[in-house]
Amino acid sequence: MDFGKYGKRAAVFAGTSEGRAIGEFVLEKGLSAKVDFLVATGYGQEILEEEGSLMVFSGRLNEGEMEDFFSHRRISLVIDATHPYATAVTENIKAACSRAGIECVRVTRGGDEVFEGKGAENITFVNSVEEAARAVSELGLKTLVTTGSKEIASFGEVKNASEIVVARVLPSVDSINACLKAGIMPKNIIGMQGPFTLEMNLATLRQYGCGALVTKETGKAGGFADKAECAKLGYNVIVVRKPEGETGVSLKEAKNKLWEEMK
């Protein structure tokens, strides 16, 4: 791809705390005119634009649309800072970059400790959201679900879901509507932006009378440790494991790469 007089440009697929951190870095280094940020929703755009004068595009793109975007914007480097569980999006980004002959850098989160000792007996690891929903049904306890609205429909299938499922999701119309469509009672829908501290998680569990919590193995950036810590205080914690086999670079390495390519 010949960039000629236009120079190189980068595209960052954001929507996570890592994406926001890269946005801060771009502003700090004066690279905002050379970097485009892509997010799936208008809410994600609002959050990212709070960082400053960044070029942010919102909307879900398929593989072909990504390739068209790269060509139109003369992109030479792509950084994938999407959620670690957004595997389909990551695969589309990889495929679009491969077809366009563009380097793609995936930002990964560090591994999480498997908690041992006190509270270990209260932690259940599962491999999918569907398995987590079945575990909630088996427990029969009022449960705070923090895995997001995208897969909340699975928890609508839980036995007595209208009574025992409390969903904490992003404060967007789409998220709230997804919960309502799944049959979650309005009184049991919490719209808040995380990550959350241990104290906040405990306060929410107590306020709603929950005996269990469902989370994803999202690393420090996603507040995983503060959720898993609830197990040491007697709460049942169901953890959806990270997808296996993911490779990439750290947030620091991604920033360095962006600086070296765009400075």
Side-chain angles (χ1 to χ4, degrees):
M1 183 179 292
D2 180 14
F3 295 93
K5 64 180 180 180
Y6 294 97
K8 294 181 178 181
R9 294 187 59 77
V12 178
F13 285 84
T16 59
S17 56
E18 289 88 353
R20 294 193 294 275
I22 293 173
E24 293 175 357
F25 177 79
V26 165
L27 290 169
E28 175 188 334
K29 295 296 185 180
L31 298 175
S32 57
K34 297 182 178 181
V35 183
D36 295 333
F37 287 80
L38 297 95
V39 294
T41 65
Y43 178 77
Q45 181 174 5
E46 291 174 12
I47 294 297
L48 195 55
E49 287 179 341
E50 289 178 358
E51 304 298 337
S53 301
L54 298 171
M55 285 185 282
V56 186
F57 301 83
S58 67
R60 302 182 189 279
L61 303 180
N62 59 34
E63 182 183 326
E65 290 168 334
M66 290 177 187
E67 193 175 351
D68 288 343
F69 181 91
F70 300 156
S71 176
H72 179 70
R73 299 292 291 178
R74 293 181 171 269
I75 301 299
S76 61
L77 172 68
V78 170
I79 295 180
D80 175 9
T82 58
H83 197 278
Y85 288 77
T87 53
V89 175
T90 289
E91 287 305 313
N92 282 342
I93 294 171
K94 286 181 181 178
C97 287
S98 178
R99 288 169 59 89
I102 298 172
E103 182 177 7
C104 179
V105 175
R106 170 65 173 154
V107 180
T108 58
R109 293 176 175 177
D112 290 307
E113 176 186 2
V114 176
F115 286 73
E116 298 178 350
K118 182 180 179 181
E121 70 279 4
N122 295 328
I123 297 181
T124 302
F125 284 91
V126 297
N127 294 316
S128 68
V129 168
E130 291 76 17
E131 283 187 39
R134 288 195 291 271
V136 172
S137 285
E138 291 171 7
L139 277 175
L141 298 174
K142 197 167 187 181
T143 301
L144 175 62
V145 176
T146 68
T147 52
S149 62
K150 187 176 179 181
E151 299 165 305
I152 195 64
S154 295
F155 294 95
E157 301 299 319
V158 168
K159 185 178 180 181
N160 298 323
S162 63
E163 296 298 323
I164 72 170
V165 174
V166 177
R168 188 172 68 192
V169 296
L170 290 174
S172 70
V173 172
D174 289 344
S175 294
I176 301 302
N177 283 341
C179 292
L180 293 172
K181 186 176 180 180
I184 310 300
M185 296 291 287
K187 66 179 181 179
N188 288 336
I189 301 173
I190 307 167
M192 295 182 72
Q193 170 74 41
F196 303 95
T197 62
L198 172 61
E199 291 74 19
M200 186 63 185
N201 289 320
L202 291 174
T204 305
L205 289 165
R206 292 166 182 155
Q207 175 70 28
Y208 284 84
C210 296
L213 179 150
V214 179
T215 184
K216 289 181 176 179
E217 199 177 13
T218 52
K220 182 178 180 181
F224 170 72
D226 284 323
K227 295 171 187 171
E229 194 75 8
C230 295
K232 296 182 180 180
L233 299 174
Y235 292 94
N236 289 272
V237 177
I238 300 166
V239 181
V240 182
R241 291 187 185 277
K242 288 189 297 186
E244 294 183 0
E246 185 180 48
T247 59
V249 303
S250 68
L251 175 59
K252 181 179 180 180
E253 290 171 320
K255 289 178 180 178
N256 290 340
K257 177 69 174 178
L258 187 61
W259 173 242
E260 288 300 319
E261 293 291 328
M262 297 295 124
K263 66 181 178 180

